[in-house]
Amino acid sequence: MNDPKSQSGPPAAARKPHSYTRHGVTVDDPWAWLRDPAFPELKDPAILDYLTAENGFFGGWKAKHQGLLDTLFAEMKGRIKDDDRSVPIKDGDWLYWWAFTPGAQYRTWYRKRIAPSSASVRSERSEPEASAVEGRLAQTAEHRPSTSLRTNEVGQSPDHDDDDAQIIFDEPAEAAGKEYFVLGAMEVSPDHKLMATLIDDDGSERFSLRIRDLSTGKDIETVTDVGIGQPTWSNDSKGVIFTEVNDQWRSYRARYHRLGDDPAKAVTLYEETEDLGFSVGIGKSQDESTIFIGTGDNTTSEVRFVSAHDPAQPLTLIKPRQTNREYDVDAAHGKLWILTNDEHINFRLAEADPARPAEWATVIPGSDEIYLTDVTPYRDWLAVTRRVGGLDQLALRNYAGEETPLPFEEASFTAYFHGNPEFAPATVRVGYSSMVTPTTVLDYHPDTRAFDIRKVQEIPSGYDASLYTTERIEVTARDGVRVPVSVVYKKGFPRDGSGRLFLYAYGAYGHAVAPTFNSNRLSLLDRGFACAIAHIRGGDDLGYRWFLDGKLMKRTNTFNDFVDVAKGLVAEGFASAGRIGINGGSAGGELMGAVANSNPELWGAIVADVPFVDVLSTMLDDTLPLTPGEWPEWGNPIADEAVFHYIKSYSPYDNVTAQNYPPLLITGGLSDPRVTYWEPAKWAAKLRATKTDDNLLLLKINMGAGHGGKSGRWESLHEVAETYAFILSEVGV
C-alpha cells in the first residue's frame, strides 16, 4: 500500500525501486525515498504522511498504556526537587547559581555580589579580573555526571540567600510559547557587565549567539544565528570569540566580533579548509591569559593560540596536525600545559615555552595502567584526572611533583573536578556519584585534606540507599577479553534467572558510560529489575586502547561485547534469555540494531533512541552533516573497499533479515542534524516489511525536536516514562 494512513494496523511504507553501486556491489534501498532532499525542511507530503501515521500508531499504544505512563511519570517527577538549585560558583566578587521555581520546566539563572576577598584570585595579571562563569554555568547544570559520598545528609548551599539576587537569565520566560528550547552556553564577560548566550529553539543545534547587557537584562546584539560550541570573551570585555557551523553542520571557523561593529564583518581568526572532516573549537586558558583555537576530528588535533588581550593578532601554531596524534592545551605560569598521546596511548602531560611551543618536555609520563584523561593548571597545583581499572581517580599535584590523591571509599563510582573557575581557589569543587549514591557536590580543602558536603541530591519522595546493592563484575568476551559491568539491584533480587534485567551501553567515540546514580532507574529497580551498564569496547572505560579496539575495522567487538555481557549476566543468574530489556541511543542505537539482528532471542524488548542504523549509506554520502568527520570512527567506504564490505557486514539497516525480532521502540527527531530522521524511519519500514513475527514495533518521530529529544525537565521525563513503560509491558513478569 502506498498510503500508510489507509492501514488499520501498523503503517506500511511503500517500496520504491532504488539502488546504488559501489566497489562493484549493488545495494538495493527501496526506502531511500524517505529522505527528503529539502532537509532540514520536510516538504514531501508522502514522507509527512508516513511519519504522521507512525506517530499515530505510537499514540494508539500510548493510549492503551496511559495509566502506566502516568504512574511512571508521577514516580519520577516525585523524585525531583521541584525548587532545586545549584551550589553557587564563586567568580571574583560574585556568586552565580541557577534555581527552578516550583513547576518550572527550565532554570532561572542568578548572581549576587559578595564582599571582595583576597582568598581567591582569577590570575596574576593586571587587567580587570576575568570572568570564569564563561559557559561553565550552563555546563555544570545536569550536563555533567552526578556526584556523591555515602551519606544520608541532604544539603543545600548555606552560604547565601536570595536577598539582592539578580536574575541574569530567565529560561522559563525565554522558552514561553516554544515547543523546544535549549540554552546551549552562557558566558559572562570579564568585567561582569555583559553576557553571551547561545540559544536553540528548534533542535537543529544551530544556535543564536546574543549579547546581553546585565544592567538592563536586554539583549543588545545578535552576533550570529549559526553559532555552536562555547564562546569566550576578550579580556577587555569588548569582543567575543565564537565558532559557526556551515550548511553541513560542521563547526568550520572561529571568528572575533567587536561589540558595536557589524557582526557580518567579524574577523575570521581561523577557518578549516584543509580537511572537511575537522571541526573547529575554542577555549580560554585557566589563567585567562590565552585563547586557544583547535581543529581536529576524533583522533587528530591541531591547536593555535593568541593572547586573550588582543585576539585579532596572528595565531601561533603549536604543532601541525599529525594523523592519530591528539593534544589538548592549557596555560599557566608562563607555560603551555599539553595533554597528548604522542608517546603513549594513555597520554602524557608535557610543558612547553610559548616562545618554542613545539618543544615538549614530559611532566607526567604515559602509563600502561593509568589513563590520563584531564589536567588543569591552577596557581598552586595541577588538578589531575585519571582512570585506573576503569574507575576515576582525582589528585592535586604541586609544581614540585608531589601528589595528593582525593580519597573515595566506594568500590565503583565516578568522580570529577567540577565548577572551579578561579585560578587560585581556596577549595576545590568536586562531583561524585555511584549507582546507589545520589549526586553530591563537595568542596575539598587542600590544606586539611577534608571534604565539605555542599549538596546531596534530594529525593523528595524518599530514597533509602541501604535497600539497594551495586556490583562491578567482569564478563569474559568470546575473544578472552574481560569486559566490566556495573550492576545495581534491590536487595532480595533473585539470582536464579527468574528476574528481569535492563541493560544499557553506548560503546563509541571513546565515551565512557560512568556508573552514576539515576533516580529514574528506581522505577525499574522497585519493580524487580536489575539494571546494568556494559562498559564495552568503543568507549574509553579501560583506557584509550579500549576505545581503539571498538572502532574502524574492530567495530564488531562492541556488538560482541554487549551480547557476551548479556550472556554472562544470564550465567550469573540476573535473568534468562528473553527477559532482558535493552536500550541505547545514537551510536548506542546502532548497537541496538546490530544485536537485534545477531541475537534476537536474547532480548525481551529493545528501545533504540535516535539510532545510527543506516551506517553504510550515511558513510558513503559526504554531503551529509558530520560524515567526513565520522570517517576516523567508522572508516571511509568511499575510498576503501575493505571498509565498504566491513560496514556492509554489520550496518543494522542493511542486515535486517527474515527472522523473528523482539518488540522494538524506535525514536527519532525531525530536526536532528546528527542522526537524520530517515535513518530510524527507513529501519522501521524495512523491519515491518521483513520480520516474520507479530511482535510490537513502534516508531516515534519527534516533529519539534532534534537529537536530544524534547526539552524541559518534565517533557523529557515523559520520554523516559515511555521507554520504561515499553520495557515493562513487553518483558515478561
Side-chain angles (χ1 to χ4, degrees):
M1 299 289 291
N2 288 333
D3 182 6
K5 294 184 293 185
S6 68
Q7 304 297 302
S8 58
R15 294 174 182 259
K16 297 183 181 181
H18 177 82
S19 64
Y20 60 89
T21 300
R22 296 288 188 276
H23 303 293
V25 177
T26 298
V27 179
D28 291 322
D29 189 359
W31 291 278
W33 66 272
L34 287 171
R35 173 184 174 178
D36 195 323
F39 182 79
E41 297 182 70
L42 179 57
K43 296 182 177 180
D44 188 325
I47 299 173
L48 182 60
D49 284 347
Y50 172 65
L51 298 183
T52 300
E54 287 284 10
N55 282 345
F57 187 64
F58 173 78
W61 173 85
K62 281 188 66 175
K64 284 179 58 179
H65 296 278
Q66 197 61 56
L68 177 58
L69 289 164
D70 290 345
T71 298
L72 289 167
F73 175 79
E75 288 175 5
M76 292 185 290
K77 185 177 181 182
R79 300 187 193 109
I80 296 175
K81 187 173 175 60
D82 200 14
D83 57 350
D84 196 15
R85 64 173 60 200
S86 66
V87 180
I89 293 174
K90 182 179 180 297
D91 184 25
D93 295 340
W94 295 86
L95 292 175
Y96 290 85
W97 71 97
W98 56 258
F100 284 103
T101 56
Q105 292 257 35
Y106 301 93
R107 298 174 179 85
T108 302
W109 299 82
Y110 298 87
R111 71 173 181 177
K112 180 178 180 178
R113 186 183 289 276
I114 56 177
S117 170
S118 59
S120 300
V121 296
R122 286 291 305 154
S123 66
E124 297 170 327
R125 54 183 170 76
S126 58
E127 274 71 20
E129 203 174 58
S131 168
V133 184
E134 317 192 30
R136 300 184 180 102
L137 274 175
Q139 292 178 344
T140 55
E142 254 92 42
H143 308 306
R144 297 289 305 276
S146 35
T147 57
S148 171
L149 291 177
R150 293 302 299 274
T151 175
N152 291 323
E153 180 179 350
V154 177
Q156 205 71 44
S157 175
D159 62 355
H160 82 293
D161 53 45
D162 291 344
D163 292 344
D164 302 321
Q166 175 191 3
I167 294 176
I168 58 173
F169 198 85
D170 186 351
E171 285 192 59
E174 300 281 346
K178 297 175 181 176
E179 184 176 354
Y180 183 90
F181 178 86
V182 166
L183 172 61
M186 178 183 289
E187 297 268 4
V188 176
S189 61
D191 62 8
H192 296 267
K193 295 180 180 179
L194 302 169
M195 183 170 67
T197 61
L198 282 175
I199 306 297
D200 173 18
D201 58 12
D202 63 8
S204 67
E205 297 187 59
R206 291 168 169 85
F207 293 81
S208 292
L209 172 59
R210 301 166 189 163
I211 307 299
R212 175 161 297 191
D213 184 337
L214 291 177
S215 67
T216 65
K218 304 295 184 182
D219 291 336
I220 57 175
E221 293 188 25
T222 297
V223 180
T224 181
D225 287 320
V226 289
I228 201 166
Q230 195 64 57
T232 191
W233 289 88
S234 59
N235 282 347
D236 64 3
S237 299
K238 295 180 180 178
V240 63
I241 302 95
F242 60 98
T243 50
E244 291 182 313
V245 296
N246 58 14
D247 291 342
Q248 285 71 46
W249 195 73
R250 179 171 65 90
S251 178
Y252 74 112
R253 67 180 179 181
R255 308 188 77 193
Y256 176 44
H257 168 68
R258 295 294 286 179
L259 301 188
D261 292 348
D262 182 354
K265 296 180 180 179
V267 176
T268 297
L269 301 179
Y270 179 80
E271 182 170 339
E272 178 58 53
T273 58
E274 180 179 339
D275 192 323
L276 295 181
F278 277 33
S279 295
V280 177
I282 60 175
K284 203 175 203 179
S285 62
Q286 187 66 27
D287 71 354
E288 302 294 331
S289 67
T290 308
I291 301 291
F292 295 105
I293 299 177
T295 183
D297 55 25
N298 202 38
T299 61
T300 303
S301 54
E302 179 180 87
V303 182
R304 293 165 171 82
F305 68 92
V306 68
S307 170
H309 306 310
D310 191 2
Q313 292 299 306
L315 304 178
T316 299
L317 173 65
I318 295 176
K319 271 192 181 182
R321 64 193 70 181
Q322 177 179 307
T323 301
N324 295 326
R325 180 182 67 197
E326 295 183 55
Y327 67 97
D328 187 46
V329 190
D330 209 328
H333 300 294
K335 295 179 180 180
L336 300 176
W337 299 89
I338 302 147
L339 189 65
T340 178
N341 63 351
D342 62 342
E343 293 184 358
H344 197 285
I345 195 170
N346 279 336
F347 289 74
R348 66 170 174 135
L349 178 68
E351 64 180 23
D353 185 333
R356 297 182 296 278
E359 298 176 14
W360 298 355
T362 296
V363 177
I364 302 176
S367 166
D368 293 340
E369 293 76 29
I370 299 172
Y371 179 34
L372 198 59
T373 59
D374 188 62
V375 179
T376 301
Y378 292 88
R379 187 189 65 185
D380 300 322
W381 19 255
L382 301 167
V384 180
T385 304
R386 51 172 65 100
R387 198 172 297 140
V388 180
L391 294 177
D392 298 321
Q393 291 188 359
L394 308 181
L396 299 181
R397 177 188 175 102
N398 66 27
Y399 290 97
E402 300 166 334
E403 287 196 359
T404 302
L406 277 63
F408 302 108
E409 296 179 356
E410 288 187 274
S412 180
F413 61 88
T414 183
Y416 52 92
F417 294 108
H418 159 76
N420 294 290
E422 296 186 315
F423 186 52
T427 59
V428 183
R429 183 69 50 84
V430 172
Y432 180 91
S433 180
S434 79
M435 293 185 79
V436 297
T437 304
T439 302
T440 303
V441 178
L442 309 163
D443 279 349
Y444 178 74
H445 294 263
D447 51 347
T448 63
R449 301 187 180 184
F451 284 110
D452 284 340
I453 299 176
R454 298 298 307 279
K455 177 183 176 183
V456 179
Q457 178 185 355
E458 183 176 349
I459 312 297
S461 60
Y463 171 68
D464 183 352
S466 68
L467 299 178
Y468 305 88
T469 297
T470 184
E471 295 183 36
R472 188 175 177 87
I473 63 178
E474 290 186 340
V475 172
T476 302
R478 64 194 67 182
D479 60 358
V481 171
R482 302 283 287 174
V483 180
V485 189
S486 299
V487 188
V488 62
Y489 51 90
K490 199 166 187 177
K491 290 179 179 177
F493 178 84
R495 296 284 288 271
D496 58 4
S498 65
R500 293 176 290 172
L501 176 67
F502 178 75
L503 181 60
Y504 175 85
Y506 183 70
Y509 300 106
H511 173 69
V513 181
T516 58
F517 183 77
N518 183 335
S519 66
N520 296 333
R521 192 188 290 136
L522 296 172
S523 289
L524 294 179
L525 298 178
D526 291 345
R527 286 175 171 82
F529 273 76
C531 295
I533 299 169
H535 302 286
I536 55 182
R537 282 173 282 187
D540 68 351
D541 306 63
L542 295 186
Y544 201 77
R545 172 62 65 188
W546 202 248
F547 162 46
L548 297 181
D549 284 346
K551 63 180 291 194
L552 295 173
M553 301 299 279
K554 297 182 178 181
R555 180 60 184 159
T556 53
N557 282 341
T558 301
F559 315 141
N560 294 340
D561 283 357
F562 188 83
V563 170
D564 294 344
V565 162
K567 291 179 177 179
L569 293 174
V570 168
E572 290 281 340
F574 282 100
S576 55
R579 296 175 67 81
I580 306 172
I582 61 175
N583 176 222
S586 195
E590 177 209 46
L591 168 66
M592 297 298 101
V595 301
N597 288 332
S598 68
N599 295 83
E601 74 287 349
L602 277 176
W603 323 120
I606 299 176
V607 179
D609 294 313
V610 290
F612 177 42
V613 285
D614 194 12
V615 185
L616 186 62
S617 294
T618 297
M619 289 296 99
L620 284 167
D621 189 346
D622 59 6
T623 69
L624 285 175
L626 296 177
T627 289
E630 298 289 293
W631 288 333
E633 179 76 15
W634 313 105
N636 183 348
I638 299 173
D640 192 321
E641 183 176 356
V643 170
F644 172 87
H645 288 291
Y646 187 64
I647 293 178
K648 187 174 184 295
S649 75
Y650 71 74
S651 175
Y653 173 71
D654 295 282
N655 287 278
V656 171
T657 59
Q659 64 177 357
N660 288 351
Y661 281 84
L664 281 140
L665 168 58
I666 302 166
T667 71
L670 189 64
S671 57
D672 188 349
R674 299 173 186 259
V675 177
T676 47
Y677 76 86
W678 58 83
E679 293 208 29
K682 288 172 60 178
W683 185 41
K686 187 172 185 179
L687 281 165
R688 288 201 192 283
T690 309
K691 68 191 186 80
T692 56
D693 60 83
D694 294 324
N695 289 329
L696 184 63
L697 191 160
L698 299 172
L699 172 66
K700 172 195 172 185
I701 300 294
N702 273 315
M703 305 302 279
H707 197 65
K710 293 181 179 179
S711 61
R713 59 175 176 164
W714 308 136
E715 287 302 315
S716 62
L717 278 188
H718 282 295
E719 298 196 324
V720 178
E722 290 165 0
T723 293
Y724 286 3
F726 186 79
I727 296 289
L728 288 166
S729 62
E730 297 298 328
V731 178
V733 295

